[in-house]
Amino acid sequence: MEPKRIPKRIVVGVAGGIAAYKAATVVRQLTEAGHSVRVIPTESALRFVGAATFEALSGNPVHTDVWTDVHEVPHVRLGQQADLVVVAPATADVLARAATGRADDLLTATLLTARCPVMFVPAMHTEMWLHPATVDNVATLRRRGAVVLEPASGRLTGADTGPGRMPEPEEIATLAQLLLDRPDALPHDLAGVKAVVTAGGTREPIDPVRFIGNRSSGKQGYAVARVMAQRGAEVTLIAGNTVGLDDPAGVHVVRIGSAAQLKDAVSKHAPEAHVLVMAAAVADFRPAQVHTSKIKKSADPDVAPPPIELTRTDDVLAGAVRARADGQLPNMRAIVGFAAETGDANGDVLTYARAKLRRKGCDLLVVNAVGEKRAFEVDTNDGWLLAADGAETALEHGSKTLMASRIVDAIVALLQNHGG
Ligand code: CTP
């Protein structure tokens, strides 16, 4: 999870599904981030995980009904005082009860009294998730302002696979922190939008065991893909090398190695897309020749190592801008580039970034000031958003997920300007 911020009061509701065991890790992550957590399970959640586990992890008492500590009026107080309510897992049953305004246990009573952001994290079998009753309940909750996360796809309990899996605890904690930092960060405003996001570094092979790589972690691109998917977009994430990041929930991940493979993947998926976000650190050069067998060193230490001749790779971002201008990407309404700049004696970060925006011809350029302990391999970022129309917005320092939410806001604004 991302860095600590001001401690907040979080209610974690736990409904009765097998994913309740993952709620224990969510509680742990949120308390470790310094927040004060109250767990409110349903009766059936306690059939999966005992109250003692949640009491020990949260350091707070755990009740399911409104009849304990009545003098403290917990069914009103917990909701009123919370900064965030997270319901994980949210079963079909708890979504239905929340959508109809029931108050038949402490969790649903708390949901009715909460005035803070509420995030439901669905987990159920695919049939239940896709059932019109659940679809309607989710739409109702979203219309009322609740965040209902997209579930992940993958193996469910038993043999079946499909959408309905609960996102991993790390992802839930990250999105919970995003809502604490910015309560309005996850509106469901990208339904019907198809996006291609690239992330991570490419690896340019030298021989079968060696490559030229870079220090990109992939975190910023993953955060953009995650936020876009949770705002309703259909996202294809073209992922190069990353620091072992989990697939974001609800995102289709395509893995690539080299710049050439990344280009092929973008060419394949971009024609369908409305949005292209090029967050990947694509190599500008690759070895001109890839050796088919491992390059051996000479036994004689005085023999110079073989030189590696480099050649340019194709610029995928500039290629997409050209393809759109040539009418080959009829759906494409927003092309976003990234620039990592240090500035030097000849110009500062913004001077170089403005020139890059003009050179690349994209609609939006996300600019990071990079350097020692900045941007690469860390969880926070800051920078600017430069738009082709000349607008320049500073991005406040914060988590890469918070920054992603600002970038996605700018993409939504572009889509609206383009009649979408
Ligand atoms: N990019 C790309 N294809 C490449 C290299 C870069 O699509 N072969 C994209 C990156 O994904 C990023 C943007 O271009 O969105 C900026 O990349 P950068 O390497 O900083 O830009 P360059 O034009 O190569 O400038 P510099 O001289 O600073 O390296």
Side-chain angles (χ1 to χ4, degrees):
M1 111 158 254
E2 290 179 342
K4 288 187 184 181
R5 262 159 239 102
I6 308 151
K8 294 283 173 67
R9 274 189 258 226
I10 305 175
V11 168
V12 175
V14 183
I18 182 64
Y21 79 93
K22 290 194 199 170
T25 310
V26 175
V27 172
R28 180 171 205 130
Q29 298 225 348
L30 294 173
T31 50
E32 278 181 356
H35 301 302
S36 164
V37 178
R38 284 292 299 248
V39 182
I40 309 181
T42 61
E43 271 297 318
S44 42
L46 293 183
R47 288 175 170 253
F48 292 94
V49 181
T53 301
F54 292 127
E55 287 185 340
L57 288 173
S58 68
N60 279 313
V62 166
H63 308 298
T64 60
D65 61 47
V66 297
W67 306 114
T68 317
D69 296 333
V70 175
H71 62 289
E72 289 183 0
V73 207
H75 70 288
V76 177
R77 193 176 45 84
L78 290 173
Q80 280 176 339
Q81 293 181 349
D83 296 301
L84 175 70
V85 179
V86 178
V87 184
T91 55
D93 178 66
V94 99
L95 292 173
R97 289 195 290 136
T100 48
R102 297 285 295 264
D104 41 8
D105 58 10
L106 185 55
L107 175 56
T108 45
T110 300
L111 288 170
L112 283 183
T113 53
R115 292 295 173 267
C116 58
V118 175
M119 180 170 97
F120 291 93
V121 189
M124 64 197 75
H125 283 277
T126 304
E127 291 82 352
M128 295 173 105
W129 174 246
L130 297 177
H131 192 283
T134 307
V135 171
D136 279 355
N137 290 331
V138 168
T140 300
L141 291 166
R142 282 180 176 153
R143 198 181 64 248
R144 291 186 195 141
V147 172
V148 183
L149 293 189
E150 289 299 324
S153 281
R155 200 159 76 78
L156 304 166
T157 329
D160 43 344
T161 58
R165 224 175 110 92
M166 192 163 90
E168 292 308 310
E170 173 97 5
E171 178 157 27
I172 297 169
T174 297
L175 291 168
Q177 185 63 57
L178 173 64
L179 289 176
L180 289 170
D181 291 341
R182 219 197 128 188
D184 61 347
L186 293 174
H188 207 259
D189 54 2
L190 285 175
V193 170
K194 290 188 180 168
V196 172
V197 179
T198 69
T202 61
R203 288 178 161 183
E204 307 308 317
I206 299 170
D207 68 15
V209 295
R210 302 183 180 95
F211 56 82
I212 299 174
N214 60 63
R215 287 173 56 196
S216 168
S217 67
K219 287 180 178 177
Q220 187 61 70
Y222 269 56
V224 171
R226 171 174 292 130
V227 168
M228 290 195 86
Q230 292 303 348
R231 286 171 71 154
E234 198 181 304
V235 181
T236 300
L237 173 61
I238 298 173
N241 184 55
T242 70
V243 289
L245 305 176
D246 287 330
D247 292 356
V251 167
H252 172 56
V253 181
V254 176
R255 302 215 176 269
I256 54 92
S258 65
Q261 289 170 350
L262 182 137
K263 183 189 167 196
D264 288 347
V266 170
S267 304
K268 179 171 169 199
H269 294 282
E272 294 263 291
H274 305 104
V275 179
L276 172 64
V277 180
M278 285 294 304
V282 189
D284 290 320
F285 308 103
R286 64 175 172 80
Q289 240 201 334
V290 182
H291 290 254
T292 51
S293 55
K294 190 180 168 197
I295 303 170
K296 305 292 282 181
K297 61 179 172 295
S298 165
D300 178 355
D302 293 331
V303 171
I308 297 173
E309 194 195 327
L310 298 178
T311 183
R312 288 281 288 261
T313 57
D314 293 331
D315 189 321
V316 181
L317 177 60
V321 169
R322 271 197 311 275
R324 177 173 63 175
D326 293 346
Q328 290 161 27
L329 300 175
N331 296 332
M332 189 63 75
R333 301 209 296 271
I335 300 182
V336 184
F338 276 65
E341 302 286 351
T342 57
D344 60 22
N346 297 320
D348 64 7
V349 169
L350 271 177
T351 311
Y352 280 114
R354 287 179 192 124
K356 190 168 286 181
L357 175 64
R358 279 194 299 276
R359 198 166 65 243
K360 300 264 184 179
C362 51
D363 305 308
L364 207 58
L365 190 70
V366 184
V367 186
N368 284 146
V370 291
E372 203 51 28
K373 296 242 178 326
R374 291 185 81 169
F376 289 118
E377 295 166 356
V378 295
D379 286 324
T380 57
N381 233 352
D382 48 26
W384 294 266
L385 268 177
L386 307 188
D389 66 4
E392 298 187 355
T393 319
L395 291 165
E396 82 237 64
H397 181 80
S399 72
K400 289 189 174 176
T401 312
L402 180 64
M403 185 142 159
S405 77
R406 300 282 182 206
I407 296 166
V408 177
D409 282 353
I411 292 171
V412 170
L414 272 175
L415 295 176
Q416 283 162 355
N417 289 344
H418 289 236

